[in-house]
Amino acid sequence: MMFRTRFAPSPTGYLHLGHAYSACLAHDMAKAQGGEMLLRIEDTDAGRCRPEYETAILEDLRWLGLDWPEPVRRQSEHLASYASALDKLSALGLTYPCRCTRGDIRAALSAPQEGAGTPDIGPDGPVYPGTCRGRSMAEAQPGNAIRLDMGRALALVAGRAPGFTENGPLHAGRHALDPQALLTGTGDVVLARRDIGTAAYHLAVVVDDVDQGITEVVRGVDLFAATPLHVLLQTLLELPTPSYWHHDLIRDENGKRLAKRDDARAIRRYRAEGVSPAELREMVGLPPP
Ligand code: GLU
Protein backbone atom coordinates (compact mmCIF):
# COMPACT_ATOMS: atom_id res chain seq x y z
CA MET A 1 0.00 0.00 0.00
CA MET A 2 1.32 3.44 -0.87
CA PHE A 3 2.34 5.57 2.12
CA ARG A 4 -0.14 8.41 2.27
CA THR A 5 -0.30 11.05 4.94
CA ARG A 6 -1.91 14.45 5.23
CA PHE A 7 -1.51 17.95 6.58
CA ALA A 8 -4.82 19.31 7.88
CA PRO A 9 -4.78 22.97 8.86
CA SER A 10 -7.82 25.05 9.78
CA PRO A 11 -7.95 28.38 7.92
CA THR A 12 -8.43 30.40 11.09
CA GLY A 13 -5.11 32.22 10.96
CA TYR A 14 -1.69 32.23 9.31
CA LEU A 15 0.56 29.19 9.52
CA HIS A 16 3.45 29.51 11.95
CA LEU A 17 6.73 27.69 12.56
CA GLY A 18 4.93 24.77 14.23
CA HIS A 19 2.79 24.22 11.14
CA ALA A 20 5.86 24.49 8.91
CA TYR A 21 7.51 21.75 10.96
CA SER A 22 4.45 19.49 10.87
CA ALA A 23 3.82 19.94 7.15
CA CYS A 24 7.49 19.54 6.11
CA LEU A 25 7.92 16.49 8.33
CA ALA A 26 4.82 14.81 6.89
CA HIS A 27 5.92 15.72 3.35
CA ASP A 28 9.51 14.50 3.90
CA MET A 29 8.28 11.21 5.35
CA ALA A 30 5.92 10.66 2.44
CA LYS A 31 8.59 11.46 -0.18
CA ALA A 32 11.16 9.23 1.55
CA GLN A 33 8.71 6.34 1.20
CA GLY A 34 7.72 7.09 -2.38
CA GLY A 35 4.31 8.17 -1.12
CA GLU A 36 2.38 11.42 -0.94
CA MET A 37 1.12 14.04 1.44
CA LEU A 38 -2.46 15.16 0.95
CA LEU A 39 -3.74 18.51 2.01
CA ARG A 40 -7.03 18.95 3.83
CA ILE A 41 -8.61 22.22 4.82
CA GLU A 42 -10.52 21.81 8.08
CA ASP A 43 -13.07 24.55 7.54
CA THR A 44 -16.28 23.38 9.20
CA ASP A 45 -16.29 26.32 11.61
CA ALA A 46 -17.60 28.91 9.15
CA GLY A 47 -17.55 31.65 11.78
CA ARG A 48 -13.80 31.38 12.33
CA CYS A 49 -12.53 30.30 8.90
CA ARG A 50 -11.64 32.87 6.23
CA PRO A 51 -10.90 32.36 2.52
CA GLU A 52 -7.91 34.69 2.75
CA TYR A 53 -6.32 32.41 5.36
CA GLU A 54 -6.84 29.43 3.09
CA THR A 55 -5.15 31.27 0.21
CA ALA A 56 -2.29 32.22 2.53
CA ILE A 57 -1.92 28.59 3.72
CA LEU A 58 -1.58 27.28 0.16
CA GLU A 59 0.90 30.03 -0.67
CA ASP A 60 3.07 29.41 2.40
CA LEU A 61 3.13 25.65 1.82
CA ARG A 62 4.11 26.08 -1.82
CA TRP A 63 6.82 28.53 -0.79
CA LEU A 64 8.17 25.82 1.54
CA GLY A 65 8.51 23.63 -1.55
CA LEU A 66 5.70 21.22 -0.68
CA ASP A 67 3.35 19.65 -3.19
CA TRP A 68 0.19 17.59 -2.90
CA PRO A 69 -2.31 15.97 -5.23
CA GLU A 70 -5.28 18.05 -6.33
CA PRO A 71 -8.07 18.57 -5.55
CA VAL A 72 -7.49 19.68 -2.01
CA ARG A 73 -10.17 18.28 0.30
CA ARG A 74 -12.29 20.89 2.06
CA GLN A 75 -14.32 19.62 5.00
CA SER A 76 -17.13 22.04 4.21
CA GLU A 77 -17.72 20.09 0.98
CA HIS A 78 -18.23 16.77 2.78
CA LEU A 79 -20.85 17.54 5.41
CA ALA A 80 -23.12 14.77 4.08
CA SER A 81 -20.44 12.15 4.81
CA TYR A 82 -20.13 13.34 8.40
CA ALA A 83 -23.92 13.36 8.78
CA SER A 84 -24.10 9.79 7.55
CA ALA A 85 -21.39 8.66 10.01
CA LEU A 86 -23.36 10.35 12.77
CA ASP A 87 -26.53 8.56 11.63
CA LYS A 88 -24.72 5.22 11.86
CA LEU A 89 -23.66 5.90 15.42
CA SER A 90 -27.19 7.02 16.26
CA ALA A 91 -28.65 3.86 14.72
CA LEU A 92 -26.39 1.90 17.06
CA GLY A 93 -27.99 3.78 19.99
CA LEU A 94 -24.74 5.52 20.89
CA THR A 95 -25.71 9.18 20.66
CA TYR A 96 -27.89 11.64 22.52
CA PRO A 97 -28.86 15.28 22.10
CA CYS A 98 -27.38 17.69 24.61
CA ARG A 99 -28.77 21.10 25.38
CA CYS A 100 -26.20 22.12 27.97
CA THR A 101 -24.40 25.39 27.46
CA ARG A 102 -20.78 25.79 28.52
CA GLY A 103 -22.12 27.61 31.59
CA ASP A 104 -24.42 24.69 32.47
CA ILE A 105 -21.48 22.29 32.24
CA ARG A 106 -19.27 24.51 34.39
CA ALA A 107 -22.04 24.79 36.99
CA ALA A 108 -22.65 21.01 37.02
CA LEU A 109 -18.94 20.36 37.41
CA SER A 110 -18.51 22.81 40.24
CA ALA A 111 -21.61 21.70 42.19
CA PRO A 112 -20.44 20.12 45.44
CA GLN A 113 -20.65 16.36 45.15
CA GLU A 114 -19.55 13.74 47.55
CA GLY A 115 -16.27 12.16 46.55
CA ALA A 116 -15.86 14.47 43.56
CA GLY A 117 -12.40 15.88 42.96
CA THR A 118 -11.29 18.19 40.18
CA PRO A 119 -12.99 17.25 36.91
CA ASP A 120 -10.87 15.31 34.44
CA ILE A 121 -9.70 17.25 31.40
CA GLY A 122 -10.38 15.45 28.13
CA PRO A 123 -9.41 16.27 24.54
CA ASP A 124 -12.05 19.03 24.44
CA GLY A 125 -11.72 20.37 27.96
CA PRO A 126 -13.45 19.26 31.17
CA VAL A 127 -15.10 15.85 30.82
CA TYR A 128 -18.86 16.23 30.33
CA PRO A 129 -20.73 15.38 33.55
CA GLY A 130 -23.46 13.46 31.71
CA THR A 131 -26.41 15.76 32.46
CA CYS A 132 -28.29 14.98 29.21
CA ARG A 133 -27.21 11.33 28.92
CA GLY A 134 -30.21 9.08 28.44
CA ARG A 135 -32.17 11.63 26.39
CA SER A 136 -33.38 10.06 23.19
CA MET A 137 -32.45 11.25 19.69
CA ALA A 138 -36.21 11.67 19.09
CA GLU A 139 -36.06 14.61 21.50
CA ALA A 140 -33.28 16.35 19.54
CA GLN A 141 -34.02 20.03 18.87
CA PRO A 142 -32.34 22.26 16.35
CA GLY A 143 -29.35 23.79 18.10
CA ASN A 144 -28.66 20.77 20.33
CA ALA A 145 -25.19 19.27 20.32
CA ILE A 146 -25.01 15.51 19.72
CA ARG A 147 -22.82 13.56 22.11
CA LEU A 148 -21.37 10.06 22.12
CA ASP A 149 -22.52 7.86 25.00
CA MET A 150 -19.04 6.61 25.88
CA GLY A 151 -20.22 3.87 28.24
CA ARG A 152 -22.44 2.31 25.58
CA ALA A 153 -19.80 2.73 22.89
CA LEU A 154 -17.23 0.89 24.98
CA ALA A 155 -19.70 -1.90 25.77
CA LEU A 156 -20.25 -2.37 22.03
CA VAL A 157 -16.56 -2.78 21.17
CA ALA A 158 -15.67 -4.86 24.23
CA GLY A 159 -14.03 -8.02 22.97
CA ARG A 160 -12.88 -6.45 19.69
CA ALA A 161 -9.58 -5.31 21.28
CA PRO A 162 -9.20 -2.06 19.34
CA GLY A 163 -5.83 -0.35 19.34
CA PHE A 164 -3.34 1.45 17.16
CA THR A 165 0.32 1.48 16.23
CA GLU A 166 2.31 4.59 17.02
CA ASN A 167 5.47 4.99 14.95
CA GLY A 168 6.62 8.36 16.30
CA PRO A 169 9.55 8.29 18.73
CA LEU A 170 7.64 9.87 21.65
CA HIS A 171 5.18 7.03 22.28
CA ALA A 172 6.35 4.32 19.88
CA GLY A 173 4.62 0.96 20.09
CA ARG A 174 1.25 -0.71 20.04
CA HIS A 175 -1.44 0.96 22.15
CA ALA A 176 -4.55 -0.95 23.19
CA LEU A 177 -7.52 1.25 24.03
CA ASP A 178 -7.98 1.67 27.76
CA PRO A 179 -11.76 1.65 28.44
CA GLN A 180 -11.41 3.21 31.87
CA ALA A 181 -9.33 6.10 30.53
CA LEU A 182 -11.85 6.69 27.75
CA LEU A 183 -14.74 6.61 30.18
CA THR A 184 -13.32 8.95 32.80
CA GLY A 185 -10.66 10.90 30.88
CA THR A 186 -12.48 11.45 27.57
CA GLY A 187 -16.15 10.86 28.34
CA ASP A 188 -19.20 11.78 26.27
CA VAL A 189 -17.55 13.96 23.63
CA VAL A 190 -19.46 16.15 21.19
CA LEU A 191 -19.85 14.58 17.73
CA ALA A 192 -21.92 17.38 16.20
CA ARG A 193 -21.54 20.92 17.42
CA ARG A 194 -24.48 23.14 18.26
CA ASP A 195 -22.67 26.32 17.26
CA ILE A 196 -21.64 25.24 13.76
CA GLY A 197 -24.49 22.77 13.19
CA THR A 198 -22.22 20.07 11.78
CA ALA A 199 -19.66 17.44 12.70
CA ALA A 200 -17.15 18.18 15.40
CA TYR A 201 -13.46 17.64 14.67
CA HIS A 202 -13.24 14.10 16.10
CA LEU A 203 -15.93 12.69 13.84
CA ALA A 204 -14.86 14.61 10.73
CA VAL A 205 -11.21 13.58 11.05
CA VAL A 206 -12.08 9.89 11.23
CA VAL A 207 -14.28 10.08 8.13
CA ASP A 208 -11.75 12.19 6.21
CA ASP A 209 -8.75 9.99 6.95
CA VAL A 210 -10.59 6.99 5.52
CA ASP A 211 -12.02 8.88 2.53
CA GLN A 212 -8.55 10.19 1.71
CA GLY A 213 -6.97 6.74 2.08
CA ILE A 214 -4.53 7.90 4.77
CA THR A 215 -2.16 5.14 5.85
CA GLU A 216 -0.21 7.10 8.45
CA VAL A 217 -1.44 10.17 10.33
CA VAL A 218 1.46 12.53 11.03
CA ARG A 219 0.48 15.30 13.47
CA GLY A 220 1.41 17.03 16.72
CA VAL A 221 1.69 15.16 19.98
CA ASP A 222 -1.00 17.45 21.40
CA LEU A 223 -3.45 15.16 19.57
CA PHE A 224 -2.00 11.93 20.96
CA ALA A 225 -4.57 11.96 23.79
CA ALA A 226 -7.41 12.20 21.24
CA THR A 227 -6.16 9.23 19.21
CA PRO A 228 -7.86 6.49 21.30
CA LEU A 229 -11.15 8.32 20.72
CA HIS A 230 -10.50 8.39 16.96
CA VAL A 231 -9.68 4.68 17.01
CA LEU A 232 -12.85 3.97 18.97
CA LEU A 233 -14.92 5.87 16.38
CA GLN A 234 -13.20 3.96 13.55
CA THR A 235 -14.04 0.70 15.30
CA LEU A 236 -17.68 1.65 15.85
CA LEU A 237 -18.02 2.75 12.23
CA GLU A 238 -16.16 -0.37 11.00
CA LEU A 239 -13.50 1.77 9.32
CA PRO A 240 -9.81 0.88 9.05
CA THR A 241 -7.36 2.35 11.56
CA PRO A 242 -4.27 3.98 10.05
CA SER A 243 -0.97 4.05 11.90
CA TYR A 244 0.05 7.22 13.70
CA TRP A 245 3.15 9.36 14.07
CA HIS A 246 2.84 12.13 16.66
CA HIS A 247 5.68 14.62 16.61
CA ASP A 248 6.96 17.00 19.25
CA LEU A 249 5.76 20.61 19.23
CA ILE A 250 7.69 23.73 18.33
CA ARG A 251 7.73 26.00 21.37
CA ASP A 252 8.71 29.59 21.99
CA GLU A 253 11.64 30.57 24.20
CA ASN A 254 9.40 30.23 27.28
CA GLY A 255 8.46 26.68 26.41
CA LYS A 256 4.93 27.66 25.33
CA ARG A 257 3.57 26.02 22.20
CA LEU A 258 2.95 28.41 19.35
CA ALA A 259 -0.60 29.58 18.71
CA LYS A 260 -2.22 31.01 15.59
CA ARG A 261 -2.46 34.40 17.33
CA ASP A 262 1.30 34.32 17.65
CA ASP A 263 1.85 36.30 14.45
CA ALA A 264 5.48 36.95 15.33
CA ARG A 265 6.24 33.41 14.20
CA ALA A 266 4.02 33.33 11.14
CA ILE A 267 5.72 31.84 8.09
CA ARG A 268 4.78 34.90 6.04
CA ARG A 269 6.55 37.17 8.46
CA TYR A 270 9.79 35.25 7.99
CA ARG A 271 9.20 35.31 4.24
CA ALA A 272 8.81 39.08 4.34
CA GLU A 273 12.08 39.33 6.26
CA GLY A 274 13.88 37.46 3.47
CA VAL A 275 14.33 34.10 5.28
CA SER A 276 14.67 31.26 2.75
CA PRO A 277 12.68 28.01 2.90
CA ALA A 278 15.88 26.10 3.74
CA GLU A 279 16.65 28.52 6.58
CA LEU A 280 13.15 28.17 7.93
CA ARG A 281 13.48 24.39 7.87
CA GLU A 282 16.72 24.70 9.75
CA MET A 283 15.02 26.85 12.40
CA VAL A 284 12.66 23.98 13.21
CA GLY A 285 15.41 21.38 13.14
CA LEU A 286 14.76 19.85 9.70
CA PRO A 287 17.48 19.08 7.16
CA PRO A 288 17.46 20.85 3.77
CA PRO A 289 14.94 19.31 1.36
N1 GLU B 1 -6.88 20.78 12.10
C1 GLU B 1 -6.05 20.30 13.17
C2 GLU B 1 -5.13 21.40 13.63
O1 GLU B 1 -4.97 22.40 12.94
C3 GLU B 1 -5.22 19.11 12.77
C4 GLU B 1 -5.93 17.86 13.04
C5 GLU B 1 -5.20 16.57 12.70
O2 GLU B 1 -4.08 16.60 12.17
O3 GLU B 1 -5.78 15.52 12.96
O4 GLU B 1 -4.56 21.28 14.70
Side-chain angles (χ1 to χ4, degrees):
M1 199 172 11
M2 192 213 248
F3 181 101
R4 188 179 284 131
T5 189
R6 82 308 194 269
F7 178 61
S10 301
T12 53
Y14 295 119
L15 298 185
H16 55 56
L17 282 186
H19 297 108
Y21 176 62
S22 194
C24 290
L25 187 69
H27 192 263
D28 288 359
M29 283 173 63
K31 295 294 160 175
Q33 311 243 11
E36 56 191 14
M37 183 197 78
L38 274 54
L39 186 60
R40 174 161 88 224
I41 301 293
E42 304 213 325
D43 62 347
T44 47
D45 191 342
R48 292 180 58 226
C49 296
R50 302 240 179 89
E52 58 268 31
Y53 288 136
E54 185 180 321
T55 308
I57 287 172
L58 299 178
E59 219 179 83
D60 286 347
L61 295 175
R62 285 200 192 101
W63 175 80
L64 280 166
L66 311 189
D67 54 40
W68 50 84
E70 298 285 345
V72 168
R73 183 178 174 101
R74 261 186 214 89
Q75 287 190 327
S76 57
E77 292 166 3
H78 297 274
L79 303 185
S81 306
Y82 311 137
S84 115
L86 185 65
D87 285 348
K88 268 192 207 152
L89 296 172
S90 298
L92 292 167
L94 304 179
T95 60
Y96 62 86
C98 173
R99 51 183 163 217
C100 295
T101 61
R102 271 173 207 264
D104 294 337
I105 296 173
R106 257 197 314 274
L109 288 170
S110 61
Q113 269 172 34
E114 223 175 315
T118 0
D120 281 300
I121 304 296
D124 300 327
V127 172
Y128 181 62
T131 319
C132 289
R133 190 184 304 133
R135 287 179 62 212
S136 112
M137 286 300 284
E139 297 170 57
Q141 302 282 337
N144 286 171
I146 306 296
R147 288 185 182 273
L148 177 72
D149 185 325
M150 184 58 82
R152 285 189 184 207
L154 289 167
L156 197 72
V157 302
R160 284 200 242 167
F164 65 98
T165 301
E166 169 67 32
N167 291 320
L170 302 171
H171 298 280
R174 180 83 195 156
H175 296 264
L177 298 199
D178 173 352
Q180 197 52 39
L182 278 162
L183 199 59
T184 57
T186 299
D188 293 359
V189 287
V190 168
L191 297 175
R193 280 168 53 178
R194 54 190 288 142
D195 53 345
I196 60 173
T198 180
Y201 161 70
H202 303 297
L203 184 60
V205 75
V206 158
V207 171
D208 290 333
D209 283 339
V210 170
D211 283 0
Q212 291 193 290
I214 301 304
T215 60
E216 185 146 323
V217 172
V218 179
R219 62 184 178 189
V221 73
D222 51 327
L223 286 164
F224 183 73
T227 305
L229 168 62
H230 299 172
V231 174
L232 175 68
L233 292 173
Q234 289 151 4
T235 310
L236 293 166
L237 293 165
E238 298 180 325
L239 300 173
T241 291
S243 56
Y244 288 85
W245 180 297
H246 290 89
H247 60 72
D248 48 355
L249 303 177
I250 302 293
R251 298 179 184 276
D252 66 13
E253 54 285 352
N254 302 316
K256 240 181 100 241
R257 58 179 283 217
L258 305 182
K260 285 249 175 67
R261 325 177 261 294
D262 201 359
D263 272 351
R265 291 181 177 76
I267 297 174
R268 52 192 34 229
R269 172 109 188 230
Y270 292 103
R271 283 175 58 187
E273 285 169 4
V275 169
S276 73
E279 285 165 339
L280 196 125
R281 285 177 64 103
E282 199 182 329
M283 287 165 68
V284 294
L286 290 172

